[in-house]
């Protein structure tokens, strides 16, 4: 049975503001439901371990509410593994759900970047959605090249930041950072589903893409 490692942020606010933030719940819950439907198991980890901040719990859709109500999920999100404890060999894939909090820790964490590089170079699936691709920015491969340098990706866009009224609150604009580092950045209109699969790397543009990212991951894992 396949097992997915989900790494989430420890940063509980939107940038330097006092606005509640962390991981955006629907991006985690919708992808996770796909993994569960496929019969996969999972662990949730964060840099520091312990309780991980969520926002968007109030989003009223059946998947989000069902996963959030699950006692096992609540136990895991409230006591995440510390990434230093992770054994990469235990997992078939790595997934970064989004949320603005990630821009303040995972986007620059070299230890998590090393975990990601290890997954990628082992031929495993690496995936991220919305702001999740920020975790790919510092990933350097063993040959000294940057993971993104040869990959096509997508992520939350400038237009979506404007629509969400976060453009002046975020630590940096993810679309711009990815455009500078990735071989190619693609996007569609705001809030439309958009998923890019480039080899074993899967990225999704926004919350609407989380389910499809999960499906793309399952398809790749099934191929072995």
């Amino acid at each position: 049975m396949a097992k997915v490692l989900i790494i989430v942020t420890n940063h509980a606010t939107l940038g330097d503001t006092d606005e509640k933030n962390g991981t955006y719940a629907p991006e985690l819950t919708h992808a996770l439901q796909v993994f569960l439907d496929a019969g996969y198991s999972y662990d949730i980890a964060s840099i520091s371990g312990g309780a991980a901040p969520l926002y968007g719990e109030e989003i009223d859709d059946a998947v989000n509410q069902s996963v959030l109500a699950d006692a096992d999920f609540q136990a895991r999100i409230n006591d995440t593994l510390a990434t230093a404890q992770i054994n990469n060999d235990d997992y078939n894939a790595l997934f970064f759900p989004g949320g603005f909090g990630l821009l303040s820790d995972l986007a620059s964490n070299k230890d998590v970047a090393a975990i990601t590089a290890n997954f990628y170079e082992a031929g495993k699936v690496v995936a991220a959605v919305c702001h999740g691709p920020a975790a790919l920015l510092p990933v350097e491969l063993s040959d000294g090249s940057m993971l993104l340098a040869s990959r096509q990706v997508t992520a939350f866009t400038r237009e979506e930041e404007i629509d969400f009224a976060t453009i002046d609150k975020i630590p940096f604009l993810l679309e711009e950072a990815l455009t500078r580092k990735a071989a190619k950045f693609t996007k569609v209109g705001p809030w439309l589903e958009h998923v890019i699969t480039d080899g074993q790397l899967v990225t999704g543009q926004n919350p609407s893409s989380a389910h499809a990212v999960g499906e793309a991951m399952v398809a790749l894992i099934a191929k072995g």
Side-chain angles (χ1 to χ4, degrees):
M1 178 175 65
K3 189 173 188 179
V4 179
L5 175 62
I6 302 169
I7 299 184
V8 297
T9 181
N10 292 121
H11 191 82
T13 63
L14 172 55
D16 295 328
T17 74
D18 60 1
E19 295 180 30
K20 179 185 176 183
N21 212 263
T23 295
Y24 189 56
E27 293 167 10
L28 172 53
T29 59
H30 278 259
L32 178 55
Q33 188 62 60
V34 176
F35 305 151
L36 295 173
D37 288 345
Y40 295 175
S41 58
Y42 71 100
D43 283 330
I44 305 177
S46 62
I47 297 167
S48 302
L54 289 177
Y55 68 110
E57 301 104 314
E58 76 285 355
I59 300 299
D60 187 18
D61 72 62
V63 170
N64 197 46
Q65 294 302 317
S66 174
V67 173
L68 291 173
D70 181 73
D72 181 61
F73 172 80
Q74 285 296 327
R76 291 169 185 267
I77 198 68
N78 285 298
D79 189 20
T80 63
L81 303 172
T83 50
Q85 302 172 318
I86 293 300
N87 180 357
N88 294 3
D89 293 339
D90 292 341
Y91 305 97
N92 303 87
L94 172 61
F95 174 57
F96 295 99
F100 295 97
L102 182 144
L103 299 177
S104 297
D105 60 1
L106 292 171
S108 58
N109 188 274
K110 292 185 177 180
D111 292 332
V112 174
I115 291 172
T116 306
N118 179 276
F119 268 78
Y120 186 82
E121 294 190 315
K124 297 178 181 180
V125 177
V126 174
V129 67
C130 200
H131 288 90
L136 305 176
L137 289 168
V139 179
E140 182 177 341
L141 303 178
S142 58
D143 64 2
S145 67
M146 302 304 291
L147 169 61
L148 288 173
S150 62
R151 294 292 145 199
Q152 179 180 177
V153 296
T154 188
F156 205 62
T157 66
R158 177 183 177 84
E159 292 87 352
E160 288 163 332
E161 297 283 8
I162 293 170
D163 286 354
F164 216 55
T166 47
I167 190 73
D168 296 323
K169 300 176 182 179
I170 50 177
F172 63 92
L173 181 60
L174 181 55
E175 177 182 341
E176 180 180 13
L178 289 171
T179 298
R180 291 179 180 275
K181 283 204 167 187
K184 185 177 182 180
F185 181 88
T186 73
K187 62 183 179 180
V188 296
W191 313 111
L192 299 175
E193 180 183 302
H194 182 51
V195 175
I196 295 293
T197 299
D198 188 353
Q200 77 222 52
L201 182 67
V202 180
T203 51
Q205 180 172 316
N206 48 35
S208 301
S209 308
H211 178 88
V213 166
E215 289 186 325
M217 290 178 67
V218 168
L220 287 174
I221 292 168
K223 288 181 180 179

